[in-house]
Amino acid sequence: MTIFTKIIQREIPADIVYEDDLCLAFRDINAQAPTHVLIIPKEPISSLDALQSEHQELMGHLLLKVSEVAAELGLSNGYRITVNCGEEGGQSVDHLHIHLMGGRKLNWPPG
Ligand code: AMP
């Protein structure tokens, strides 16, 4: 079980900003921008590479929630989402998550 499943199950605390039957959004504990939220499926999918065709609707749901959460958090000047995948992609928690970052001018390309 990853730390994110423990957050979903309320075994460890998190600053939750959105929740529905399929997903949870909470503030990253090590924020890289003034607003940095993780949007995760409740289903414990390990990474983008673990997605199956049955997850198509779920992933669409997550992406639709991005702009809703961004608007709710006041990111009217723009924002960025990132999904790190695997070791070289910088993934450190093996539960699929979308980083939503905003509140400052973001550099491109990322490091
Ligand atoms: P990644 O490196 O893409 O796998 O992202 C994992 C993210 O989870 C990192 O940005 C961490 O700061 C964040 N994180 C780890 N533990 C927690 C936690 N308990 N609550 C909130 N965010 C966390």
Side-chain angles (χ1 to χ4, degrees):
M1 181 191 294
T2 72
I3 197 159
F4 290 174
T5 294
K6 291 180 181 172
I7 289 174
I8 292 166
Q9 296 178 350
R10 306 301 203 268
E11 290 176 22
I12 62 169
D15 186 353
I16 293 169
V17 298
Y18 177 80
E19 180 172 25
D20 63 27
D21 288 347
L22 296 176
C23 69
L24 189 71
F26 53 94
R27 293 187 191 275
D28 196 296
I29 205 167
N30 184 24
Q32 301 301 313
T35 298
H36 185 170
V37 164
L38 302 173
I39 301 172
I40 70 170
K42 288 188 171 175
E43 181 178 340
I45 302 163
S46 60
S47 78
L48 281 180
D49 279 346
L51 287 172
Q52 305 289 320
S53 57
E54 71 202 45
H55 296 123
Q56 186 166 321
E57 196 170 333
L58 171 63
M59 292 309 294
H61 180 82
L62 291 183
L63 279 179
L64 287 171
K65 289 302 160 190
V66 166
S67 63
E68 284 186 29
V69 171
E72 185 67 28
L73 297 178
L75 299 178
S76 54
N77 290 327
Y79 55 84
R80 181 176 297 163
I81 64 169
T82 301
V83 182
N84 296 326
C85 182
E87 187 184 347
E88 289 198 359
Q91 183 176 5
S92 63
V93 178
D94 291 335
H95 183 129
L96 180 62
H97 48 283
I98 300 173
H99 294 261
L100 166 61
M101 290 167 283
R104 67 171 170 84
K105 177 73 176 166
L106 297 164
N107 299 321
W108 190 262

